């Protein structure tokens, strides 16, 4: 299991490591982390609980249980990944399990934003490209892949797939400004003048 | 690009600055917090040496983990107790108002903020809970956020956001008797799919929407998120103002008059531009029930579970998964499917009018044998108002359990849960695999009246065919 020290920080220009596929559209956050694991006041234990129910159902055959996947950093998913509940426990569970980037056809918005706030890029690619990439990563689970945010592709050195990131988040990863808190705090004077012009803050 | 809509106006008013990277810093007028998504945010705040920027614009309640039978402290579940005491400690430390159990104001976050008058037109509202879209019923722009964003709002009373597209969902005519806002939104999601709203705010408008009560508008906006929209709203009107007048946190006297004028000015202009518009006819909508594992897998109660051939090829894999999981066959009628548990409650349908509609069905009838049926009011205020009208007795006489307020079996973080492969008729908002506390448990979403009808007949039943 990954240590806290390895969590994303600073500039994020590429993610390098083994990759694997998790197939299926509409994989919701209740499946990524079932609600009973939300009973916690810290995120620490969540890594081991990612996909707990799906893993139990598959008795060791779930992609998150296969020994060959344990060092993986890149997860290749399909359409509308992370839909449902806004729980940040979902990306936290994936991050603490070891995932540092996702590639997929599309991501649910809140999940996407939560990943951004943790420094985990969610790159998009066309449906057929994602399928092909899933096949390719499946061929050799030990192979190292690079999701490159400068050249915008996902490659194992031999084959390469183009990916897309929305310009705003892309810029935030590459400049290390994906952690929003500092930026928001820097504009307190503007915040105050915004508050001053809002009738409901000032007794109408 | 949209212009002149309520969304555009509220966005512009709350815009603090443009951020590098293209997003906008948006001021948040009301930040609602609860025990599940706030503890880690407070820890992160401490780790960064920060404090709460506007404790007076932050309001807390406890809802997700509270037991609905015995609410005395400490809770039997030590984890639940730890979560609540952490929230109490955080609220104490930062001077945040906590609507505690027994205060008369506790309840599900999306039920209490409107009933206290905290949610008002033209506000931006954020909460670490996806169904924050509920507050859009008042003409507020309300977002569900993750825990890192909860930390950001605590620290800066603002969020980094990207502007959404605005889609108008125009609904003609009126809903028929026995058909509710829940059916309308299940119908919309069924028609458009669970992803259609991605990147959008939904403005609900048209004669059918104007005719809805505030509580129905809340049900509608609550589930906008299940259709993929980031938020949903209804323009404020007289129905909105009538609902708000006299509530504890709204202005009084002259300020009330000024407030109304300001709120009216925020409605979408008659010539506002929307990114697109979709039209529906309320009159053709039947009571709607989900048969599958996403809120988009809904059908009229008089329809059959769709066959793969009837579905768009893209929807077939998830349908195949749903047939297996739900143990329902393509072509099978949904009416008549037996249920085990009936749950009336949640932030979608746990308000007084919801309980009334269900009580109208339950009155003078009996819960079918072998069925567990229970009613969980959305808040202490809802519970006391329902008791004052004798609704608790109507339910008890019919064999329902009457519980204390909380989220309960909407997501089953408290002791209320399905067991094994039990199937529930539920007035909540999500039918995902495992959502109601059992990894193999199954959920059929429907309106509270339809849940009551299922409870008294023992199976999915068209409430219009029972005479009330
Ligand atoms: S009732 Fe359900 S959807 Fe609503 S806030 Fe509670 S858990 Fe979330």
């Amino acid at each position: 299991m990954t240590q806290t020290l390895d969590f994303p920080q600073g500039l994020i220009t590429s993610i390098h490591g083994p990759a694997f596929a998790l197939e299926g559209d509409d994989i919701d956050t209740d499946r990524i982390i079932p609600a009973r694991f939300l009973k916690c006041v810290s995120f620490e234990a969540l890594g081991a609980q990612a996909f707990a129910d799906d893993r139990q159902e598959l008795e060791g055959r779930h992609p998150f249980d296969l020994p060959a996947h344990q060092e993986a950093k890149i997860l290749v998913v399909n359409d509308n990944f992370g839909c449902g509940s806004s729980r940040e426990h979902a990306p936290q569970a994936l991050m603490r399990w070891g995932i540092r980037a996702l590639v997929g056809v599309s991501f649910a918005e809140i999940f996407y934003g939560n990943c951004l706030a943790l420094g985990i890029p969610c790159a998009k690619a066309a449906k057929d490209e994602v399928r092909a990439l899933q096949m390719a990563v499946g061929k050799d689970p030990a192979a190292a892949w690079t999701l490159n945010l400068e050249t915008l592709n996902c490659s194992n050195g031999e084959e390469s797939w183009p990916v897309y990131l929305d310009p705003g988040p892309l810029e935030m990863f590459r400049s290390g400004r994906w952690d929003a808190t500092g930026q928001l705090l820097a504009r307190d004077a503007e915040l105050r003048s915004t508050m001053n012009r809002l009738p409901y803050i000032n007794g109408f | 690009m949209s212009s002149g809509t309520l969304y555009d106006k509220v966005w512009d008013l709350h815009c603090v600055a443009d951020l590098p990277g293209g997003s906008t810093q948006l001021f948040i007028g009301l930040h609602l917090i609860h025990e599940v998504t706030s503890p880690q945010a407070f820890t992160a705040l401490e780790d960064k040496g920060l404090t709460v920027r506007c404790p007076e614009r932050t309001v807390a309640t406890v809802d997700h983990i509270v037991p609905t039978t015995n609410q005395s402290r400490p809770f039997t579940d030590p984890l639940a107790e730890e979560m609540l005491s952490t929230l109490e400690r955080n609220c104490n430390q930062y001077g945040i108002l906590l609507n505690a159990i027994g205060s008369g104001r506790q309840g599900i976050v999306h039920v209490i903020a409107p009933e206290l008058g905290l949610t008002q037109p033209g506000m931006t509202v954020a909460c670490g809970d996806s169904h924050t879209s509920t507050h859009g019923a008042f003409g507020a722009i309300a977002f569900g956020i993750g825990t890192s964003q909860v930390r950001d709002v605590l620290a800066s009373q603002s969020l980094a956001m990207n502007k959404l597209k605005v889609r108008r969902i125009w609904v003609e005519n009126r809903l028929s008797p026995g058909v509710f806002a829940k059916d309308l939104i299940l119908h919309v999601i069924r028609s458009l799919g669970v992803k259609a709203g991605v990147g959008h705010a939904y403005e609900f408008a048209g004669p059918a929407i104007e005719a809805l009560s505030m509580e129905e508008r809340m049900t509608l906006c609550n589930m906008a998120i299940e259709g993929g929209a980031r938020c949903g709203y209804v323009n404020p009107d007289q129905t909105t103002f009538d609902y708000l007048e006299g509530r504890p946190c709204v202005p009084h006297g002259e300020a009330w008059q000024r407030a109304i004028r300001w709120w009216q000015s925020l409605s979408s202009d008659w010539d506002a531009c929307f990114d697109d518009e979709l039209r529906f006819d309320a009159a053709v909508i039947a009571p709607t029930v989900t048969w599958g594992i996403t809120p988009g897998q809904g059908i009229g109660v008089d329809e059959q579970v769709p066959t793969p051939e009837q579905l768009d090829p893209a929807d077939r894999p998830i349908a195949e998964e749903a047939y297996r999981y739900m143990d329902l066959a393509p072509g099978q009628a949904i009416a008549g499917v037996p249920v085990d548990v009936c749950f009336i409650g949640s932030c979608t349908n746990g308000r007084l009018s919801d309980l009334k509609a269900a009580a109208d069905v339950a009155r003078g009838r009996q819960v079918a044998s072998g069925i567990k049926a229970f009613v969980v009011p959305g808040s202490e205020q809802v519970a006391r108002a329902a008791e004052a009208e004798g609704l608790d007795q109507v339910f008890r006489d019919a064999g329902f359990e009457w519980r204390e307020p909380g989220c309960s079996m909407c997501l089953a973080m408290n002791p209320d849960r399905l067991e094994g492969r039990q199937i529930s008729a539920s007035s909540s908002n999500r039918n995902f695999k495992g959502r109601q506390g059992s990894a193999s448990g199954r959920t059929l979403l429907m309106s509270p009246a339809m849940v009551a009808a299922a409870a008294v007949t023992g199976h999915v039943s068209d409430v219009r065919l029972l005479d009330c």
Side-chain angles (χ1 to χ4, degrees):
Chain A
M1 204 66 47
T2 322
Q3 299 302 304
T4 322
L5 289 176
D6 299 326
F7 288 164
Q9 45 186 303
L11 306 191
I12 298 175
T13 50
S14 77
I15 287 88
H16 185 72
F20 68 97
L22 183 71
E23 289 178 23
D25 290 345
D26 304 313
I27 291 182
D28 59 74
T29 53
D30 273 82
R31 285 174 68 189
I32 300 173
I33 187 81
R36 62 180 180 283
F37 299 117
L38 270 51
K39 260 193 232 170
C40 54
V41 292
S42 100
F43 288 131
E44 263 154 48
L46 293 178
Q49 296 156 347
F51 288 104
D53 289 344
D54 286 6
R55 287 160 79 175
Q56 197 185 3
E57 198 180 320
L58 290 180
E59 297 167 337
R61 285 169 288 123
H62 190 278
F64 272 66
D65 279 326
L66 298 181
H69 293 163
Q70 298 309 306
E71 299 302 319
K73 290 205 163 35
I74 302 172
L75 184 64
V76 190
V77 299
N78 297 95
D79 205 5
N80 199 28
F81 187 82
C83 58
S85 155
S86 62
R87 62 188 67 156
E88 187 168 311
H89 304 66
Q92 284 277 356
L94 297 178
M95 179 178 80
R96 285 163 199 273
W97 189 89
I99 300 300
R100 293 292 174 270
L102 289 96
V103 182
V105 181
S106 76
F107 299 88
E109 259 168 310
I110 301 182
F111 177 85
Y112 185 91
N114 284 341
C115 284
L116 175 63
L118 296 180
I120 298 181
C122 293
K124 294 179 221 175
K127 200 169 179 169
D128 294 341
E129 305 270 341
V130 167
R131 285 247 171 78
L133 178 59
Q134 286 182 324
M135 300 263 284
V137 300
K139 273 191 230 144
D140 176 11
W145 288 78
T146 302
L147 175 68
N148 190 321
L149 299 189
E150 304 289 0
T151 52
L152 286 176
N153 59 10
C154 186
S155 135
N156 61 359
E158 288 164 21
E159 293 175 287
S160 170
W161 276 266
V163 299
Y164 171 83
L165 262 111
D166 301 303
L170 183 62
E171 165 61 21
M172 289 162 85
F173 286 122
R174 293 201 291 214
S175 60
R177 284 190 302 234
W178 46 271
D179 176 2
T181 322
Q183 290 185 54
L184 296 174
L185 287 167
R187 292 171 178 77
D188 200 63
E190 288 100 316
L191 188 94
R192 225 170 303 140
S193 65
T194 304
M195 288 174 76
N196 285 339
R197 66 168 188 254
L198 283 168
Y200 66 84
I201 308 273
N202 303 297
F204 291 93
Chain B
M1 217 171 58
S2 66
S3 65
T5 71
L6 177 136
Y7 178 83
D8 290 289
K9 297 182 198 181
V10 175
W11 177 272
D12 290 349
L13 277 163
H14 290 78
C15 185
V16 174
D18 292 331
L19 296 174
S23 58
T24 299
Q25 179 171 3
L26 202 68
F27 173 75
I28 297 301
L30 174 64
H31 185 203
L32 301 166
I33 62 171
H34 59 81
E35 75 283 16
V36 179
T37 52
S38 72
Q40 297 88 351
F42 280 108
T43 309
L45 204 65
E46 268 154 43
D47 287 351
K48 290 183 175 240
L50 300 170
T51 186
V52 177
R53 173 68 176 79
C54 297
E56 73 287 357
R57 308 219 65 83
T58 314
V59 177
T61 187
V62 54
D63 48 10
H64 286 67
I65 51 92
V66 296
T68 55
T69 42
N70 180 355
Q71 296 190 330
S72 58
R73 302 283 299 278
F75 294 150
T76 326
D77 176 354
L79 290 173
E81 177 61 30
E82 187 188 3
M83 293 181 85
L84 177 50
S85 41
T86 304
L87 181 69
E88 288 169 333
R89 208 172 44 243
N90 287 327
C91 287
N92 244 328
Q93 179 175 346
Y94 294 102
I96 295 166
L97 173 74
L98 168 62
N99 293 289
I101 293 173
S103 65
R105 295 180 165 200
Q106 175 265 340
I108 306 172
V109 60
H110 311 309
V111 177
I112 69 154
E115 71 190 5
L116 292 171
L118 285 163
T119 306
Q120 294 171 12
M123 270 185 180
T124 46
V125 181
C127 174
D129 188 282
S130 37
H131 293 92
T132 307
S133 56
T134 312
H135 306 267
F138 291 82
I141 297 302
F143 303 108
I145 56 177
T147 297
S148 297
Q149 291 174 305
V150 174
R151 173 201 65 202
D152 290 346
V153 182
L154 287 172
S156 72
Q157 202 62 28
S158 62
L159 273 177
M161 300 280 301
N162 289 313
K163 200 170 176 198
L164 300 163
K165 292 184 177 159
V166 188
R167 168 174 298 152
R168 181 155 70 171
I169 308 269
W170 182 270
V171 192
E172 283 293 345
N173 290 321
R174 293 282 182 100
L175 294 170
S176 325
V179 182
F180 300 88
K182 178 64 154 288
D183 303 303
L184 169 57
I185 188 67
L186 285 174
H187 179 84
V188 168
I189 300 169
R190 160 206 190 169
S191 310
L192 304 183
V194 291
K195 284 168 278 197
V198 171
H200 286 82
Y202 278 180
E203 173 173 317
F204 295 100
I209 306 300
E210 284 162 26
L212 296 177
S213 70
M214 280 319 292
E215 297 196 348
E216 291 174 301
R217 293 178 189 182
M218 285 188 246
T219 303
L220 183 72
C221 292
N222 173 279
M223 285 192 72
I225 179 89
E226 303 301 339
R230 192 68 210 276
C231 64
Y233 68 87
V234 177
N235 285 305
D237 61 9
Q238 197 56 43
T239 305
T240 321
F241 311 144
D242 289 346
Y243 175 98
L244 285 172
E245 188 164 13
R247 296 198 177 255
C249 303
V250 299
H252 300 282
E254 279 179 25
W256 170 252
Q257 296 305 332
R258 291 196 299 271
I260 289 191
R261 277 197 297 280
W262 185 61
W263 293 339
Q264 281 167 332
S265 75
L266 297 171
S267 280
S268 294
D269 299 335
W270 66 271
D271 58 350
C273 283
F274 295 87
D275 289 280
D276 61 5
E277 178 177 275
L278 296 167
R279 290 184 164 247
F280 288 86
D281 179 359
V284 303
I285 300 173
T288 302
V289 179
T290 62
W291 60 272
I293 51 175
T294 81
Q297 291 173 318
I299 48 176
V301 64
D302 44 9
E303 293 177 53
Q304 290 80 36
V305 174
T307 60
E309 299 73 46
Q310 291 170 322
L311 296 169
D312 188 285
D315 293 334
R316 286 179 199 161
I318 184 102
E320 299 284 354
E321 199 179 335
Y323 301 139
R324 277 196 304 277
Y325 185 82
M326 297 299 289
D327 202 12
L328 292 173
Q332 177 181 357
I334 194 72
V337 170
V339 300
D340 304 303
V341 177
C342 293
F343 168 63
I344 295 171
S346 87
C347 60
T348 313
N349 281 127
R351 298 183 182 82
L352 188 61
S353 57
D354 299 312
L355 305 194
K356 275 189 194 160
D360 285 344
V361 177
R363 190 173 286 113
R365 294 197 168 89
Q366 281 300 314
V367 170
S369 76
I371 291 190
K372 175 190 169 75
F374 63 117
V375 184
V376 185
S379 71
E380 293 182 350
Q381 281 199 45
V382 171
R384 301 300 90 86
E387 286 159 4
E389 292 192 22
L391 300 185
D392 57 326
Q393 206 50 48
V394 172
F395 284 119
R396 284 202 183 96
D397 290 346
F400 288 80
E401 293 172 45
W402 177 253
R403 299 287 189 80
E404 295 297 334
C407 294
S408 181
M409 210 178 69
C410 175
L411 95 165
M413 274 186 79
N414 76 345
D416 308 334
R417 48 187 52 231
L418 293 180
E419 284 174 22
R421 300 212 2 97
Q422 275 185 332
I423 185 160
S424 77
S426 180
S427 72
S428 54
N429 44 49
R430 285 191 171 142
N431 52 347
F432 299 147
K433 286 176 162 184
R435 169 77 176 181
Q436 293 192 295
S438 158
S440 53
R442 297 169 289 163
T443 302
L444 307 172
L445 301 176
M446 57 189 86
S447 76
M450 285 285 289
V451 176
V456 298
T457 58
H459 47 77
V460 176
S461 304
D462 188 339
V463 67
R464 295 171 302 182
L465 305 179
L466 305 176
D467 30 70
C468 313

